[in-house]
Amino acid sequence: MSEQPAIAVLISGSGSNLQAILNASERGEIPCRVGIVISNKADAYGLVRAEKHGVPTEVVDHRGFPNREEFDAKLVEIIRGNGAELVCLAGFMRVLTPVFVRAFPNRILNIHPALLPSFPGTHGPGQALSYGVRFSGCTVHFLDEGVDTGPIIVQAVVPVYDEDTVETLAARILVQEHRIYPMAIRLFFSGKLKIEGRRVRVSGEPRIPEFFHRNPDA
Ligand code: GAR
């Protein structure tokens, strides 16, 4: 039997999205395996998660590089050497330059804890709470050369309650992240995703938001 395609997962912290991807892969819910996990932080718990699943890890500390481009070039070298067909950013808290983005055109996914284009950057749940929105959620999108601006593949919506703190809202969003990241990876490998300008279509299927798919009352 031929080996499944490999993906590279980039992390900076806890790696709970990595865990969701590892679980989905082991359950056969996505047609790929995690070939390498790369972290820019040596103490990222996600590295322990990877090791528990027998996945090779690399730490590339961004502080050891004179600029972002050289850091990115190192990441590209490792990922190419590993033969990964898709790169998944999963809580990777570094902005990547065109050196990285152009190395893997339309083959990099990112997950963001807000309903983009609202609240890009590093504090999605906190900004949603401060702004006073009644709904927030998460987004999986293709990476482009902007920050959290690439074409959107899947979003999921969660309510924001009056009693929410940043922590409770982030935790509610994270549950949905763990659901939609494997979903987006599955769609990617289905070969049905077509990027048309800003819009991502799933060929042969209507573009119905996931929220309505899953809501039995809708
Ligand atoms: C996740 O909520 C992810 O969406 C967010 O960091 C968290 C990482 O959690 N990413 C960003 O904010 C990127 N701008 P995890 O390490 O447990 O997967």
Side-chain angles (χ1 to χ4, degrees):
M1 208 175 86
S2 64
E3 222 177 23
Q4 288 195 310
I7 66 173
V9 182
L10 273 56
I11 61 166
S12 299
S14 157
S16 70
N17 277 289
L18 164 67
Q19 188 69 58
I21 294 167
L22 287 165
N23 293 347
S25 170
E26 287 178 7
R27 292 189 201 120
E29 293 166 5
I30 52 176
C32 57
R33 65 192 166 85
V34 180
I36 189 153
V37 171
I38 306 173
S39 173
N40 64 314
K41 303 248 181 175
D43 61 353
Y45 182 65
L47 292 168
V48 177
R49 297 182 192 269
E51 281 153 19
K52 282 187 182 164
H53 288 258
V55 173
T57 60
E58 289 260 6
V59 175
V60 187
D61 189 335
H62 56 277
R63 294 171 302 185
F65 293 82
N67 53 50
R68 287 183 187 273
E69 285 76 12
E70 288 186 43
F71 171 68
D72 287 4
K74 181 67 186 169
L75 298 176
V76 170
E77 181 192 316
I78 294 170
I79 294 167
R80 286 208 173 122
N82 192 261
E85 292 186 21
L86 176 69
V87 180
C88 294
L89 309 180
F92 185 68
M93 304 307 263
R94 300 290 304 166
V95 172
L96 292 159
T97 68
V99 167
F100 190 88
V101 179
R102 291 177 193 172
F104 307 107
N106 297 335
R107 287 193 296 131
I108 309 168
L109 307 186
N110 180 44
I111 187 145
H112 183 74
L115 291 176
L116 292 172
S118 293
F119 315 125
T122 47
H123 301 290
Q127 286 182 8
L129 202 60
S130 311
Y131 196 92
V133 292
R134 289 299 184 179
F135 294 93
S136 189
C138 46
T139 304
V140 181
H141 63 95
F142 283 107
L143 197 74
D144 68 7
E145 292 181 21
V147 175
D148 299 327
T149 52
I152 291 168
I153 303 168
V154 192
Q155 292 185 304
V157 178
V158 305
V160 181
Y161 298 124
D162 290 345
E163 60 275 23
D164 267 330
T165 61
V166 176
E167 290 72 28
T168 60
L169 178 58
R172 190 174 308 120
I173 292 170
L174 204 54
V175 171
Q176 297 306 314
E177 294 186 39
H178 299 163
R179 199 169 60 80
I180 68 169
Y181 214 162
M183 186 183 293
I185 294 170
R186 192 164 58 245
L187 284 169
F188 176 87
F189 281 105
S190 76
K192 290 187 194 165
L193 292 185
K194 299 277 175 287
I195 302 176
E196 294 172 7
R198 284 215 45 83
R199 304 183 76 187
V200 179
R201 294 184 184 279
V202 183
S203 58
E205 290 179 30
R207 189 187 156 98
I208 300 171
E210 170 60 14
F211 178 71
F212 294 108
H213 265 312
R214 293 290 161 141
N215 183 347
D217 301 326

